[in-house]
Amino acid sequence: FRSQAIASETGGDLYRITPARAYTPADLDWRNNRSRSSVEMRDEGARPELAGKPLDAGRYDVVFLGYPIWWDLCPRPVNTFLEKYDFSGKKIVLFATSGGSGFGNTVKELKPSAPGAEIVEGKLLNRANKQEIEKWVKSLKIYDWLKKEKCFMKTILNENNRKCAYCQDKIEEKN
């Protein structure tokens, strides 16, 4: 729901970070020191393998990255994802859900996984509705960040000869 609301507001694509081995409820039991998630979160070098289609990160200037907060950090598959692709020169806006903590050290901990990227601590969207998410996204003024060089909306909207919703430039078909 949260990711869909952000994609709807920005005209962006959705991409799911998919672990190669799905997490079971037992894997996610934070009260069990031997659960998969507990073991991974204690090991700063843990990088669970990912599945799913490859991402063409070069197509994007801004990436919204959402995840649940585990132990005041992002889950280790997020590190795997960031290290798998080149996000240098990109702006990564974080959003998260949490059962009780804030972003904690997430930004500091993610920076080594995305060298050259600007990581922006976004917002906890635990109980946010669609209107609150839209208001937050608009408050970021994403299109203002990039208009100096090019409108990022043109790189993430479906290219079918329509106008960009933000800058009104015609979106040219890619060859």
Side-chain angles (χ1 to χ4, degrees), residues 20-75:
R21 194 177 97 213
Y23 287 88
T24 66
D27 290 336
L28 297 171
D29 184 357
W30 58 272
R31 294 167 300 219
N32 179 350
N33 281 338
R34 286 181 258 155
S35 73
R36 179 174 158 204
S37 59
S38 295
V39 170
E40 288 176 359
M41 295 310 290
R42 279 193 307 273
D43 179 0
E44 291 181 16
R47 297 298 183 265
E49 185 179 342
L50 299 180
K53 65 180 183 171
L55 175 73
D56 180 3
R59 291 186 57 220
Y60 306 97
D61 295 315
V62 175
V63 174
F64 283 83
L65 181 59
Y67 52 86
I69 293 179
W70 293 357
W71 293 266
D72 295 324
L73 300 169
C74 68

Side-chain angles (χ1 to χ4, degrees), residues 28-156:
L28 297 171
D29 184 357
W30 58 272
R31 294 167 300 219
N32 179 350
N33 281 338
R34 286 181 258 155
S35 73
R36 179 174 158 204
S37 59
S38 295
V39 170
E40 288 176 359
M41 295 310 290
R42 279 193 307 273
D43 179 0
E44 291 181 16
R47 297 298 183 265
E49 185 179 342
L50 299 180
K53 65 180 183 171
L55 175 73
D56 180 3
R59 291 186 57 220
Y60 306 97
D61 295 315
V62 175
V63 174
F64 283 83
L65 181 59
Y67 52 86
I69 293 179
W70 293 357
W71 293 266
D72 295 324
L73 300 169
C74 68
R76 299 292 184 212
V78 174
N79 296 90
T80 307
F81 170 75
L82 290 173
E83 292 168 9
K84 184 174 182 174
Y85 300 105
D86 180 9
F87 289 101
S88 58
K90 314 286 184 199
K91 187 176 289 257
I92 300 172
V93 181
L94 306 178
F95 66 97
T97 58
S98 174
S101 62
F103 277 98
N105 290 320
T106 303
V107 173
K108 183 180 121 192
E109 296 291 333
L110 281 178
K111 282 187 180 199
S113 293
E118 179 184 351
I119 299 177
V120 178
E121 182 177 311
K123 188 172 179 78
L124 288 178
L125 299 176
N126 290 342
R127 292 176 186 84
N129 62 36
K130 188 174 188 324
Q131 292 77 23
E132 291 167 327
I133 292 170
E134 289 171 354
K135 183 178 177 183
W136 169 64
V137 171
K138 285 178 183 171
S139 77
L140 295 172
K141 301 183 189 279
I142 299 161
Y143 42 91
D144 291 344
W145 291 342
L146 299 161
K147 271 193 175 176
K148 296 171 191 127
E149 295 178 24
K150 64 180 179 176
C151 177
F152 94 98
M153 297 305 290
K154 287 189 274 189
T155 59
I156 63 173

